[in-house]
């Protein structure tokens, strides 16, 4: 397992929902912002269908506010929401266009994505939104650098150098041992979501989730780590 290289300065994290980042990559984000890197978030939906009993018109603004607070806990201060319908995201040309526009707008060297495989583990299906967003975003990285694809976009083409996908097929990892408290504080900002998700105290849920996301990785010399599958582009 190799160390994910860190000779870059700006990163963009693209996910489907509020809390996706905090369930996985937030500890790595805390490490990177601690190094002085400029990390930004782009969320395709506002997670408005994510809390049972709370209508989407109320849930969406609440979850956006929770995500903005969660981002601040790990040093991220630019968060945007693209307004796609939670639970009904499709892998379309329009989604690719909007994600390519976000990449051109933020000009990342590294794009961080969430697991977009068909499963989390054998027998556990991944969310349709996660699949659609991750696959469209991976294509959008190439689209963003091509002047002849989506020429109607106003920002100039931009070629990111890498994509790092958090998921079960990690090829690289980062040591997040020193950033667990920040990751827990970030996830804890999703209090309303977690309170409805389980009857367990929020603090207990947070510790268990972060523990799962940041355990030791075989072959990588760190007590706590986050793993990524690395893709290289021509930027």
């Amino acid at each position: 397992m190799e160390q994910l290289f860190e000779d870059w300065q700006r990163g963009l994290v693209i996910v489907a929902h509020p809390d996706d980042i905090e369930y996985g990559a937030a500890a790595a984000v805390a490490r990177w912002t601690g190094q002085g890197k400029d990390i930004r978030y782009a969320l395709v939906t506002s997670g408005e269908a994510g809390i049972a009993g709370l209508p989407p018109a109320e849930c969406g603004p609440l979850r956006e506010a929770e995500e903005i607070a969660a981002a601040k806990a790990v040093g991220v201060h630019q968060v945007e929401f693209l307004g796609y319908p939670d639970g009904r995201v499709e892998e379309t040309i329009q989604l690719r266009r909007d994600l390519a526009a976000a990449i051109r707008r933020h000009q990342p060297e590294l794009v961080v994505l969430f697991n977009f495989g068909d499963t989390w583990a054998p027998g556990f299906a991944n969310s349709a939104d996660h699949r659609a967003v991750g696959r469209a975003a991976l294509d959008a990285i190439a689209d963003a650098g091509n002047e002849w694809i989506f020429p109607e976009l106003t920002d100039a083409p931009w070629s990111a150098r890498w994509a790092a996908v958090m998921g079960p097929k990690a090829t690289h990892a980062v040591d997040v041992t020193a950033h667990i408290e920040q990751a827990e504080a970030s996830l804890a900002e999703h209090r309303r979501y977690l309170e409805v998700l389980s009857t367990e105290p929020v603090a207990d849920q947070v510790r268990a989730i972060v523990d799962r996301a940041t355990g030791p990785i075989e072959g990588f010399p760190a007590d706590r780590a986050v793993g990524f599958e690395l893709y290289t582009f021509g930027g």
Side-chain angles (χ1 to χ4, degrees):
M1 181 67 63
E2 297 182 48
Q3 163 75 37
L4 181 68
F5 42 82
E6 295 176 321
D7 58 339
W8 50 272
Q9 185 59 29
R10 180 174 293 173
L12 177 65
V13 185
I14 298 174
V15 296
H17 315 109
D19 79 62
D20 285 350
I21 300 166
E22 290 70 45
Y23 264 71
V29 170
R31 172 187 170 96
W32 295 328
T33 59
Q35 295 170 344
K37 299 186 192 306
D38 179 357
I39 310 295
R40 305 174 182 190
Y41 290 174
L43 290 93
V44 172
T45 82
S46 297
E48 69 275 8
I51 298 180
L54 189 65
E58 297 177 41
C59 185
L62 168 68
R63 298 204 70 200
E64 287 186 2
E66 288 186 338
E67 181 55 43
I68 290 168
K72 287 181 180 178
V74 290
V76 174
H77 302 285
Q78 292 197 43
V79 182
E80 65 177 23
F81 301 89
L82 301 186
Y84 279 74
D86 184 17
R88 291 170 286 153
V89 181
E90 295 180 302
E91 187 183 352
T92 62
I93 287 292
Q94 182 63 41
L95 178 58
R96 276 175 53 187
R97 178 187 180 278
D98 288 344
L99 292 174
I103 292 165
R104 291 185 181 188
R105 188 161 56 248
H106 294 288
Q107 300 185 340
E109 296 163 84
L110 176 75
V111 178
V112 177
L113 305 176
F114 201 50
N115 174 27
F116 53 81
D118 290 336
T119 62
W120 291 109
F124 294 90
N126 197 358
S127 157
D129 283 359
H130 295 160
R131 300 196 309 267
V133 169
R135 291 167 183 171
L138 198 63
D139 288 335
I141 295 170
D143 296 338
N146 189 322
E147 64 185 306
W148 306 118
I149 300 177
F150 308 128
E152 70 276 15
L153 296 178
T154 57
D155 290 311
W158 177 263
S159 296
R161 298 169 64 188
W162 307 283
V165 182
M166 186 182 172
K169 298 180 180 179
T171 57
H172 294 69
V174 294
D175 183 347
V176 297
T177 307
H179 304 283
I180 300 305
E181 288 187 7
Q182 286 171 277
E184 290 178 349
S186 184
L187 179 56
E189 292 292 350
H190 294 282
R191 177 165 296 278
R192 181 70 179 275
Y193 175 75
L194 293 169
E195 286 174 342
V196 175
L197 194 66
S198 172
T199 58
E200 292 184 26
V202 168
D204 292 346
Q205 291 187 62
V206 164
R207 280 192 295 271
I209 292 165
V210 173
D211 282 351
R212 286 196 298 271
T214 63
I217 295 176
E218 185 176 357
F220 187 73
D223 291 336
R224 306 289 287 272
V226 176
F228 298 93
E229 182 179 10
L230 187 67
Y231 291 76
T232 300
F233 292 83

